[in-house]
Amino acid sequence: MDSTDYLFITSAILCILYIIGFFKFGKTYKIFTIYIIGVLLIDFIASHLWQWFRIYNIFTHHFYDLFQFVMLSYFYATLLQTKKQLFTVYILLILLPIFLLSRYVINPQLFFELSLLEIYLATIPIIIYSTMHLYNNLGQRTEFYYANLGILLYLFGSTFIFLFYELYSMLEVDNPFNKNLSMINITLQYVKFGFFFYQWKLIYFNKDGRYN
Amino acid sequence: MADTINIENAELANAVFFILLAFLSMFLVLVLFFYFSRKKIIQIEVDKKNLEIEHQKELLSSVLITQEEERKRIAQDLHDDISSKLNVVSLNSHLLKTPNLNETEQLEITNNIIELTQKALENSRRIAHDLLPPVLEKFGLHAGIEELVEEFNSTKTVKVSYENSIDFESYPIEKHLHIFRILQELLNNSLRHGKATEISIQFTTFEDRKTCTYIDNGLGFDSSSEENQKGLGMKNIESRINFLGGDFSFTSKPNKGVKMIFNFK
């Protein structure tokens, strides 16, 4: 087993824990659970495509980005409070997927390429929503505070990792650099899972019926 | 060959452009976050202070209302217990001027005057005592509370026990009255509203912090309901504890009596 397998196991345990409370807790919890399960499945299938079917997994990244964008947009739509914030979330939730999908309809070849524009457009709004949620948390307790921290930290790091990964592969930089990047990515994922585990513990074992 | 290099260069430039864009975007998000957070934190502080000021205003207004009510009560006492009697004294004195009064009549009128003057004197003493018990001024808080407790015990409707391990003599005299009034208010409330039959007052001291624990076995009330916390009496107690530089906790449940603990410096 390599380090990615351990990552999958950790993620699977996390999913099981979140599934336990699936029917007990509210809408936000359900959306978040679906998000982490979806991300695990997409990641798992993508990493085994070559092994199973001899297919390159580069196109799975589009599913990952789009799925993450849509699910986390819904997630933050249930958490954010002001009309302005919600308006931003819903407008982008409609416009961005239309824009990204229309690119592939116009030029299907793009579907088999890694798109930096897509990574950028699908991640930055989530980082903005996450920051808005952090801002809302000032002076009052809001739900999913720690999960939000995990998402923010991971997206901050992973966006740069993917962009640099692309740059390195273009420059044909030696293997150790790529390995370093993937090590940072794995570490960031563990940190993210740490936050998600703690969030689950707070939700599942809290006594006053409130999320933290 | 040149075309391939150009395409590769364009892709490279593209990657560098997006890295730069991502850096700038995240930097912008961070800056905006700090800018708005700072504004929000200041707003939260302002709101907190405003709330404090609002609370102080409420306390002040309750002090003023109490003062007015006290004046009204004193005016009523003076009018009912002294003025009315002095009126009759004055009337009787005029009667003395009436010509051809026989000795029996004169004696009757004089006795009336003496009796009424004594009553008026007694009443004025009682009013003065109610306003500020002389024992408090002469012998200090401990004796004042003892007298207060005795007064309540003498009604036979309630049994008040009082224990004290604080030496009030070294305590600033101007603060004695605040503690005395707090206890007076609590005792009156226990008797009037709580119909308590047993009350305990205990003063203890721990590490320079003096604490008073007041417990009764009366009807009690729901202390978590906001309506019950807004009574004038409670506000007065709170403002007096504020003056003493202490804080208090108040717990009560219907039919479970009340428990109040307050401390003071």
Side-chain angles (χ1 to χ4, degrees):
Chain A
M1 286 217 289
D2 63 10
S3 52
T4 28
D5 288 328
Y6 288 116
L7 204 62
F8 282 134
I9 293 168
T10 319
S11 176
I13 294 169
L14 187 75
C15 287
I16 291 165
L17 288 180
Y18 270 89
I19 288 169
I20 293 171
F22 191 79
F23 294 104
K24 206 171 146 191
F25 301 108
K27 196 176 166 191
T28 317
Y29 183 94
K30 288 187 175 73
I31 296 169
F32 188 73
T33 311
I34 295 170
Y35 162 68
I36 53 169
I37 296 170
V39 164
L40 170 67
L41 288 178
I42 295 173
D43 260 350
F44 189 72
I45 293 169
S47 66
H48 290 79
L49 268 185
W50 179 251
Q51 193 185 329
W52 293 339
F53 309 108
R54 302 280 156 211
I55 301 173
Y56 284 117
N57 68 2
I58 198 136
F59 66 92
T60 55
H61 205 276
H62 306 304
F63 291 109
Y64 183 95
D65 284 340
L66 211 62
F67 177 76
Q68 175 166 275
F69 174 74
V70 171
M71 288 317 292
L72 287 183
S73 292
Y74 271 125
F75 174 71
Y76 284 111
T78 62
L79 288 175
L80 295 176
Q81 295 157 343
T82 64
K83 272 189 180 172
K84 263 188 201 168
Q85 292 174 343
L86 288 175
F87 182 75
T88 318
V89 175
Y90 284 121
I91 282 289
L92 284 179
L93 189 56
I94 297 165
L95 291 183
L96 210 74
I98 292 175
F99 171 72
L100 292 176
L101 290 175
S102 62
R103 282 174 76 232
Y104 302 121
V105 175
I106 295 164
N107 187 0
Q109 188 54 38
L110 285 176
F111 192 66
F112 299 99
E113 289 172 15
L114 190 75
S115 167
L116 297 182
L117 180 70
E118 186 189 83
I119 295 175
Y120 177 79
L121 287 181
T123 322
I124 292 295
I126 302 297
I127 290 179
I128 293 171
Y129 304 156
S130 175
T131 320
M132 282 176 180
H133 187 52
L134 208 62
Y135 168 78
N136 288 346
N137 195 60
L138 289 172
Q140 66 182 88
R141 281 165 72 137
T142 50
E143 295 174 357
F144 281 93
Y145 174 70
Y146 290 99
N148 182 49
L149 282 184
I151 292 170
L152 186 61
L153 194 79
Y154 179 69
L155 288 186
F156 245 104
S158 74
T159 310
F160 283 115
I161 287 170
F162 284 120
L163 292 174
F164 274 109
Y165 189 83
E166 183 65 5
L167 186 70
Y168 281 5
S169 60
M170 277 173 195
L171 291 171
E172 288 166 5
V173 182
D174 281 346
N175 213 20
F177 285 99
N178 283 344
K179 214 173 176 184
N180 284 346
L181 277 183
S182 71
M183 275 313 291
I184 297 173
N185 189 34
I186 288 170
T187 317
L188 272 177
Q189 294 237 36
Y190 276 118
V191 173
K192 176 181 81 173
F193 288 146
F195 276 109
F196 289 179
F197 273 118
Y198 186 61
Q199 182 68 69
W200 177 82
K201 188 212 143 219
L202 285 182
I203 294 173
Y204 201 78
F205 293 105
N206 85 333
K207 288 186 181 89
D208 53 4
R210 270 189 350 192
Y211 297 171
N212 290 292
Chain B
M1 180 69 184
D3 277 356
T4 330
I5 292 171
N6 270 343
I7 289 170
E8 273 179 9
N9 279 344
E11 278 181 355
L12 205 66
N14 194 32
V16 172
F17 168 75
F18 274 107
I19 290 173
L20 207 66
L21 194 65
F23 260 117
L24 281 176
S25 311
M26 287 180 193
F27 182 69
L28 195 69
V29 169
L30 269 179
V31 169
L32 285 174
F33 174 71
F34 283 118
Y35 172 74
F36 285 111
S37 300
R38 206 172 149 261
K39 260 176 114 175
K40 195 173 181 180
I41 288 167
I42 291 170
Q43 190 55 43
I44 289 167
E45 283 299 313
V46 170
D47 287 348
K48 223 164 96 183
K49 287 279 168 225
N50 279 341
L51 215 66
E52 268 174 35
I53 292 169
E54 200 55 43
H55 186 66
Q56 291 296 332
K57 270 186 189 168
E58 267 179 36
L59 283 183
L60 190 68
S61 99
S62 74
V63 168
L64 288 175
I65 291 171
T66 319
Q67 198 181 10
E68 280 310 315
E69 279 190 353
E70 193 67 0
R71 280 184 184 172
K72 229 191 266 175
R73 194 185 62 79
I74 298 165
Q76 191 104 32
D77 279 1
L78 288 175
H79 178 266
D80 295 351
D81 298 342
I82 297 179
S83 300
S84 62
K85 292 201 168 42
L86 288 179
N87 257 338
V88 187
V89 170
S90 148
L91 209 70
N92 276 307
S93 316
H94 280 291
L95 272 180
L96 278 179
K97 279 189 188 167
T98 327
N100 308 325
L101 277 178
N102 62 31
E103 213 168 286
T104 344
E105 282 171 329
Q106 259 187 6
L107 193 71
E108 198 186 325
I109 293 167
T110 325
N111 280 342
N112 251 349
I113 291 172
I114 292 168
E115 197 187 317
L116 284 166
T117 329
Q118 265 172 352
K119 270 189 185 161
L121 207 63
E122 206 177 284
N123 285 337
S124 74
R125 256 196 223 120
R126 186 181 52 77
I127 292 168
H129 180 274
D130 280 354
L131 287 176
L132 184 72
V135 65
L136 195 68
E137 218 171 9
K138 277 185 199 157
F139 304 106
L141 183 60
H142 182 65
I145 296 171
E146 270 184 341
E147 196 197 52
L148 185 71
V149 167
E150 245 170 61
E151 274 170 23
F152 274 87
N153 277 334
S154 66
T155 62
K156 302 284 177 204
T157 50
V158 63
K159 197 173 162 246
V160 187
S161 63
Y162 166 59
E163 278 173 51
N164 176 26
S165 60
I166 302 174
D167 178 22
F168 283 117
E169 269 178 38
S170 57
Y171 195 61
I173 193 93
E174 66 273 10
K175 291 186 173 175
H176 286 199
L177 193 64
H178 287 309
I179 297 170
F180 185 79
R181 291 290 185 225
I182 291 169
L183 288 177
Q184 216 174 16
E185 179 73 38
L186 287 171
L187 284 164
N188 278 329
N189 283 347
S190 292
L191 215 61
R192 203 181 309 153
H193 307 297
K195 315 273 179 244
T197 52
E198 270 177 46
I199 298 170
S200 126
I201 303 165
Q202 210 172 22
F203 281 92
T204 47
T205 178
F206 180 70
E207 285 179 1
D208 211 33
R209 198 93 187 144
K210 301 170 180 71
T211 307
C212 172
T213 311
Y214 180 94
I215 302 169
D216 81 15
N217 68 342
L219 296 172
F221 56 86
D222 184 9
S223 62
S224 59
S225 124
E226 219 164 89
E227 240 173 66
N228 289 330
Q229 295 168 5
K230 285 191 172 163
L232 206 58
M234 276 313 290
K235 282 247 171 71
N236 274 324
I237 291 177
E238 194 184 334
S239 53
R240 285 192 192 277
I241 293 171
N242 267 350
F243 285 132
L244 295 170
D247 43 57
F248 73 102
S249 76
F250 191 89
T251 44
S252 178
K253 274 181 187 166
N255 296 320
K256 294 259 166 80
V258 296
K259 182 177 183 182
M260 175 157 192
I261 301 171
F262 65 91
N263 53 48
F264 45 97
K265 284 174 194 160

